[in-house]
Structures are given as structure tokens and as C-alpha cells.
């Protein structure tokens, strides 16, 4: 109930979002699923201290992907990007925590794996921009849009984080 109130409040007042309740959308792309990297991605976000709010294996429909990547539709690689994202199931997730959007982008690394330092997911597990294993929202607003696109409200679970006391002052 408290969680529902917080979610409604955060959606009504975007400036109030954030803090330990900030959320982001992360997806293991088809290459990551095929290469058995789902556990690795989950492990890195978990051990950082973020809280898993939703997770599902999805064969993403083309319409969903067009919407998800709408801002890239004019780019020359758009067709290839859609084909790649439809080439197998993806693992869609929502993670929550302090500055989770920014911090998860840092854990993921630069878009082009060649620019992603070792220690990041893209730096450690891939070589090409067109097969870069994982997606993470780039802002709190994109996160909100992407979460709403990939998940129904009742798929986002609210559960007491017993580690929270040890993670947050
Ligand atoms: P990111 O996934 O780091 O947020 P983005 O939103 O700019 O990067 O692009 C979305 C995806 O599109 C990216 O993960 C891989 C693909 N992509 C981006 N730029 C590309 C390029 N120049 N050539 C091929 N694929 C590209
Ligand atoms: Mg992006």
C-alpha cells in the first residue's frame, strides 16, 4: 500500500522521483541470453545493492521495439537494430535504488564496447556496438517511459528490502 502511494506520487510529481526509489529499465539483449550472460548481468546489479522489482523473458514484438527505440528511427542502423533485438528472447528487468539510472549505465559501460572499460559489462563481455549484450535506460524520464512500455503496473513487485538498512544511511 505504501509502495502504491509512493509510485502514484512519484508518477504525479516527477521531480519527487529518485532517492532510493528511483527505478530503471535494464534488458539482457538476445546475444546476452544466448551467451548465458543473464546471471552475470543480474549478479552485477544485485551485488551493487540494487533491488529487483520485475523480471521476465520476452520475445519482443516488432511494435514494442519500434516504440522502445523510437528516437533512433532515422538512424541508418535502425533496421539492423530491430532485427537483432527480435532475433531471440530478451530478459526485461526493472531495478530500483539510489541513482540507479546513472549507476547502472556506469556498470553497463559505453554504447560501443571498444570504449567501455574493463570491469563494465560491455567492457568485459562483448566487442561490437551492434551486439552489446545489455540495455539500460539513459535518464529517469526514459526509464519511466520504458518501464511502462515493457511492464504492466501489476508486474512491478513491491517487497521489503531487508538489506536496505545496510545500504542506506
Ligand atoms: P545505449 O544502448 O548505450 O543507450 P543508444 O541508445 O545510443 O545506446 O543506442 C541504442 C542501441 O543502438 C545501442 O545499444 C546499439 C545500437 N547502436 C547505437 N549506435 C549504433 C551505431 N552507430 N551502429 C550500430 N548500432 C548502434
Ligand atoms: Mg539508449
Amino acid at each position: 500500500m505504501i509502495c502504491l502511494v509512493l509510485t502514484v506520487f512519484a508518477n504525479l510529481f516527477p521531480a519527487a522521483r529518485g532517492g532510493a526509489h528511483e527505478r530503471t529499465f535494464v534488458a539482457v539483449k538476445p546475444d546476452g541470453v544466448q551467451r548465458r550472460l543473464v546471471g552475470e548481468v543480474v549478479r552485477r546489479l544485485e551485488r551493487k545493492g540494487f533491488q529487483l522489482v520485475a523480471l521476465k523473458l520476452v520475445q519482443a514484438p516488432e511494435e514494442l521495439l519500434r516504440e522502445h527505440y523510437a528516437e533512433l528511427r532515422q538512424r541508418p542502423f535502425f533496421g539492423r537494430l530491430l532485427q537483432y533485438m527480435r532475433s531471440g528472447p530478451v530478459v526485461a528487468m526493472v531495478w530500483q535504488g539510489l541513482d540507479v539510472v546513472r549507476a547502472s549505465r556506469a556498470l553497463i559501460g559505453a554504447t560501443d564496447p571498444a570504449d567501455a572499460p574493463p570491469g563494465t559489462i560491455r567492457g568485459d563481455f562483448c566487442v561490437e556496438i551492434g551486439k552489446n549484450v545489455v540495455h539500460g535506460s539513459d535518464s529517469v524520464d526514459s526509464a519511466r517511459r520504458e518501464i511502462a512500455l515493457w511492464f504492466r503496473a501489476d508486474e512491478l513487485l513491491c517487497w521489503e528490502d531487508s538489506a536496505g538498512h545496510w545500504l542506506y544511511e
Side-chain angles (χ1 to χ4, degrees):
M1 185 60 196
I2 293 171
C3 208
L4 183 67
V5 171
L6 275 174
T7 306
V8 170
F9 182 78
N11 284 334
L12 287 175
F13 304 101
R17 254 191 337 256
H21 293 280
E22 184 171 300
R23 287 178 173 179
T24 195
F25 174 70
V26 173
V28 183
K29 297 178 178 181
D31 50 334
V33 174
Q34 293 287 351
R35 295 178 53 214
R36 314 296 195 263
L37 293 172
V38 175
E40 183 66 38
V41 173
V42 170
R43 186 179 75 95
R44 288 176 180 228
L45 289 155
E46 264 194 325
R47 73 178 183 185
K48 171 77 174 166
F50 293 130
Q51 187 184 11
L52 186 60
V53 170
L55 180 149
K56 63 184 173 185
L57 183 70
V58 198
Q59 178 64 55
E62 181 170 342
E63 274 320 298
L64 170 62
L65 294 168
R66 280 187 182 280
E67 188 64 32
H68 175 79
Y69 283 126
E71 65 182 26
L72 299 174
R73 65 185 174 280
Q74 308 293 358
R75 306 293 292 274
F77 57 82
F78 187 64
R80 260 183 301 132
L81 177 60
L82 292 190
Q83 204 178 9
Y84 157 56
M85 291 297 290
R86 292 178 63 206
S87 65
V90 306
V91 172
M93 296 177 272
V94 178
W95 288 87
Q96 179 169 301
L98 186 64
D99 266 333
V100 68
V101 170
R102 197 157 57 94
S104 55
R105 292 277 294 188
L107 291 173
I108 288 169
T111 306
D112 185 342
D115 298 326
T120 63
I121 297 169
R122 287 169 175 166
D124 287 350
F125 296 109
C126 50
V127 287
E128 273 227 65
I129 196 167
K131 293 229 164 32
N132 62 4
V133 170
V134 64
H135 167 85
S137 308
D138 64 7
S139 68
V140 172
D141 281 341
S142 328
R144 191 166 53 139
R145 185 182 76 82
E146 291 169 4
I147 291 167
L149 198 56
W150 288 81
F151 288 94
R152 298 188 314 267
D154 67 358
E155 292 177 308
L156 308 176
L157 297 194
C158 230
W159 51 282
E160 189 186 332
D161 183 2
S162 62
H165 173 71
W166 302 104
L167 289 162
Y168 298 107
E169 288 190 289

